[in-house]
Amino acid sequence: EITWTISPDDPDDYVTVIFTEFDVEATWDALYVFDGPDTSSPLISSGNPPTNRGFPAGGWDGTTIPGPFSSTHPTGALTFRFLSDSSVTNPGWVADVVCLPVPPPNDLIQNAISVTNEPQAYTDSAVRLQYATNELLNPEGCAIAGTNGVWYSFTASIDGTAQASITTPAGTSAVIFYESPNENVGDETDLTFNFESTNQCAPGVASSITTTAGQSYYIFVLNTGGPSDVVIDISGSL
């Protein structure tokens, strides 16, 4: 038995392990992967039953390359435990280890967080905005390609107002509202920017708009210098 933990040097990074070769004696030996700094962390299960040797369920074996495995634990670490009997020795494995920041889950417009049915005001806490991936396409009327931000969406039920802000601006910041045909757009080109004095296609830390009943909207938020709470209040549109 051997257990080892891989932890990132940078506290903002998360470990990803990518196996390129894998050969563990099937149904007898097993490699266990835990999402965190020790074996009490959540098991990333293979779905396999216990081995013939009696080792626990959930281990990885055989010659099919598993993973890749990426930590979601606050420490950014992954732990591996290998259990083997003494009768057969297979080649084992080769893997690459990568330590990189994990982008926010809503940094792609397809994964925008809908706040339509959320309690208001809605707060998305400590968003790691600086690690969002770059936008590739532009909405109509306000170009954002090449910037790195996150997305939120909502649909107004009455004519009213909506506002959004960044609580701890750092680096370049922007908060921009766009109109959209619905909350399931294909990409940024489905959006349209309508200028208001409180919603400009420019750097800023807060924006607000007048809304129309039945109209859907997307909000693009960027903050290149660090994490921030993102606060959205659409109570005036519901």
Side-chain angles (χ1 to χ4, degrees):
E1 174 182 346
I2 184 170
T3 300
W4 68 101
T5 298
I6 304 174
S7 300
D9 292 330
D10 189 323
D12 284 333
D13 285 355
Y14 289 76
V15 168
T16 295
V17 173
I18 305 165
F19 285 91
T20 56
E21 298 177 26
F22 195 83
D23 188 350
V24 170
E25 186 185 11
T27 73
W28 289 96
D29 297 344
L31 177 67
Y32 299 86
V33 185
F34 299 88
D35 186 10
D38 52 48
T39 56
S40 68
S41 304
L43 174 69
I44 303 176
S45 176
S46 65
N48 289 335
T51 69
N52 294 338
R53 181 65 172 79
F55 299 143
W60 300 85
D61 61 18
T63 57
T64 299
I65 293 177
F69 300 104
S70 295
S71 175
T72 64
H73 192 273
T75 64
L78 288 174
T79 296
F80 296 83
R81 181 189 186 201
F82 180 57
L83 298 179
S84 175
D85 58 32
S86 58
S87 59
V88 175
T89 301
N90 282 27
W93 55 82
V94 176
D96 296 323
V97 178
V98 180
C99 293
L100 292 172
V102 174
N106 57 329
D107 69 331
L108 300 177
I109 193 170
Q110 296 87 348
N111 298 326
I113 295 174
S114 175
V115 300
T116 298
N117 297 313
E118 296 291 337
Q120 299 300 316
Y122 172 86
T123 299
D124 196 2
S125 301
V127 183
R128 293 154 57 90
L129 291 145
Q130 73 273 33
Y131 298 130
T133 53
N134 284 349
E135 299 294 317
L136 299 178
L137 301 171
N138 287 314
E140 181 181 342
C142 180
I144 56 173
T147 63
N148 54 321
V150 297
W151 291 95
Y152 304 87
S153 65
F154 70 96
T155 300
S157 57
I158 61 172
D159 294 350
T161 60
Q163 55 189 357
S165 62
I166 300 168
T167 62
T168 51
T172 300
S173 301
V175 181
I176 305 170
F177 284 84
Y178 294 92
E179 292 186 356
S180 67
N182 52 60
E183 289 192 63
N184 296 289
V185 298
D187 58 48
E188 297 89 332
T189 62
D190 292 329
L191 306 182
T192 302
F193 173 76
N194 286 330
F195 172 82
E196 295 187 33
S197 60
T198 55
N199 180 49
Q200 300 190 28
C201 184
V205 299
S207 290
S208 62
I209 59 167
T210 55
T211 58
T212 301
Q215 177 67 55
S216 295
Y217 300 87
Y218 275 74
I219 309 167
F220 179 69
V221 182
L222 69 88
N223 194 54
T224 61
S228 174
D229 290 356
V230 177
V231 180
I232 300 169
D233 189 351
I234 63 170
S235 57
S237 296
L238 301 177

